[in-house]
Amino acid sequence: MTAPPHEQLRAEVLVIGSGAAGLSVALGLGSHQVLLLTDGRLGDGATLHAQGGIAAAVGPDDTGRLHAADTLAVGGGLSDPHVVELLTAEGPASLQRLLERGARFERTVGGRLATGREPGHRRSRIVHAGGASTGRELVRVLAGAVEAAPWVRVVQQVSVGHLAVDDHGRVCGAWGRDAAGRVVSCAAGSVVLATGGIGGLFDRTTNPARAVGRGLALAARTGACLTDLEFVQFHPTAFDVDTVPLPLLSEILRGEGAVIVDQDGERFLFDAHPDGELAPRDVVAQAVWRHRARGHDVLLDLRPVRQLTQRFPAIVGSCRRHELDPTERPVPVTPAAHYHMGGVVVDEHGRSSVPGLWACGEVACTGVHGANRLASNSLLEALVFGARVAHDLTAMTLPLPVADLRPAPGQTVAATAGTTDADAAARLRRLMWEHVGVVRDGAGLADAGRRLQGMAERCGSPLADQVTVARMVVAAALARRESRGAHQRSDHPRCDPAWQRRLVVRLDRAGEPCVARGARLDAAA
């Protein structure tokens, strides 16, 4: 059921965010009263725009172990093998739950689930809906189920600005503002962050404008540990047009035969990797970025894709709306910020380092993705770990919501929300794109850090949250003096075994980012 926001709300579990992860948590908590807050409309976050499919070992020639091996191979030595095994082993069951809820995935003539291949996968294991509309189908199924769930109360268009903590340091609720600017307080026994990623901090992105890392700021200000913040994945084939966000040209197109060429028709990717267009995403994005930096045009030729118009009508329609017909000629592409491997440090149950706070989806760092996410593992992670968070909370006796909410140290309710300075936000996005983009260097990162510190001293809320997250990302990227996965330093171009460890980021009492090296990871990972 859906209710309008009011000043005081209570629930046993508060879920913040309504993408695949947040919806999965809410649906799995039938034994608890759940309040689900979303800053827009139900389900209109990044999941809705996801073109890529769901990776799961459902084919006759595939296994969870093979899927795990592929995931570890692209993770740059920073993926947690145990968590990867959980993800890939539980993936088929998550897919089955969607089917039982009525998900309409593509099938073969014989009735089996149709599976495609994407870069980095050695098996065809990507399940799609509507060609490149998997995210929309997920939202249709999951949001519809949430709306029908009597234990879930949905409150839309509430922007959460602060988490509340009790006298024992346990997160016990949140404050926000509704569309009319009224303060909304939400007391809860436990809080789950499912707020998405940070792509909206970059000038070129495939993410919704609201994806600016609000959940990371909320968690960090309660003292939570964050990690892998330097690893921002840039999709190599965003449609290079003048829109925000940029339309995505899904990797499934390259899996089905599309090729990347320059203005002379040269398939230059084979100079970077023997798999060419099917190389891991970080390799392709960096090769495209460098080719463009040398003055070349880069284009995606979709004409080799069989039955392009019939199988991928949304993508063809997007191109034609920009007066480009992909059945006649290649279309221009650019890398764009797409997915954040980093996030709130959580265990296999989604528990953060702060009592009372769970996280799942892109805002969390489970250890699955490491330095580089394998294509189509993100929706799977949202489903699997959303269910795991729900299972963990279901098994617990949760404390009753407190009667008197108080902000975390250093926070005030008055600073919860407001209107962002559009010019300042645009400067922030350009700064992040230019200095913290596909290829970085120490001088650029240091300059970005200084300029962001100046912005932090001048800006007000809610831009302050965006600046805080940007500063944490820059601090981590400056500290990691090597190139690994999606983190490429032109001044440290090699992968250094000494850096096969995570960087943990926290905010000190003054709100300054502090970076510490974690333990060395198993080289076999």
Side-chain angles (χ1 to χ4, degrees), residues 137-163:
E137 178 64 4
L138 245 63
V139 168
R140 182 191 72 81
V141 172
L142 297 176
V146 162
E147 288 182 316
W151 62 89
V152 183
R153 182 181 188 184
V154 178
V155 180
Q156 303 178 92
Q157 295 185 313
V158 170
S159 177
V160 174
H162 294 301
L163 298 179

Side-chain angles (χ1 to χ4, degrees), residues 295-343:
H296 296 282
D297 295 332
V298 178
L299 308 104
L300 184 66
D301 191 349
L302 281 66
R303 292 174 296 181
V305 178
R306 183 174 50 86
Q307 295 181 313
L308 173 65
T309 302
Q310 293 80 9
R311 296 175 62 199
F312 301 102
I315 290 175
V316 172
S318 175
C319 292
R320 287 174 173 168
R321 283 192 293 275
H322 290 89
E323 300 181 349
L324 286 167
D325 190 338
T327 66
E328 295 181 356
R329 59 191 177 99
V331 297
V333 294
T334 176
H338 183 59
Y339 188 86
H340 195 202
M341 277 74 75

Side-chain angles (χ1 to χ4, degrees), residues 90-101:
E90 296 176 15
S94 291
L95 201 62
Q96 182 59 37
R97 285 193 292 270
L98 286 174
L99 293 169
E100 291 169 358
R101 293 188 184 278

Side-chain angles (χ1 to χ4, degrees), residues 60-77:
D61 65 340
D62 203 3
T63 66
R65 289 189 178 277
L66 288 174
H67 186 185
D70 289 349
T71 299
L72 292 170
V74 304

Side-chain angles (χ1 to χ4, degrees), residues 223-351:
C225 295
L226 281 59
T227 193
D228 289 354
L229 299 188
E230 65 271 34
F231 297 112
V232 180
Q233 190 169 70
F234 295 86
H235 199 289
T237 55
F239 190 11
D240 192 8
V241 291
D242 189 21
T243 64
V244 179
L246 295 178
L248 184 64
L249 298 175
S250 173
E251 286 188 313
I252 189 63
L253 295 167
R254 283 179 275 140
E256 295 296 320
V259 296
I260 294 175
V261 297
D262 61 17
Q263 72 279 1
D264 298 320
E266 179 188 352
R267 291 176 65 184
F268 60 90
L269 281 174
F270 287 98
D271 294 335
H273 196 280
D275 289 340
E277 284 83 7
L278 295 181
R281 185 174 288 176
D282 59 326
V283 174
V284 179
Q286 290 152 25
V288 169
W289 185 90
R290 290 189 171 96
H291 211 62
R292 284 169 56 95
R294 297 186 190 108
H296 296 282
D297 295 332
V298 178
L299 308 104
L300 184 66
D301 191 349
L302 281 66
R303 292 174 296 181
V305 178
R306 183 174 50 86
Q307 295 181 313
L308 173 65
T309 302
Q310 293 80 9
R311 296 175 62 199
F312 301 102
I315 290 175
V316 172
S318 175
C319 292
R320 287 174 173 168
R321 283 192 293 275
H322 290 89
E323 300 181 349
L324 286 167
D325 190 338
T327 66
E328 295 181 356
R329 59 191 177 99
V331 297
V333 294
T334 176
H338 183 59
Y339 188 86
H340 195 202
M341 277 74 75
V344 180
V345 176
V346 296
D347 65 11
E348 63 189 62
H349 307 291
R351 300 178 188 178

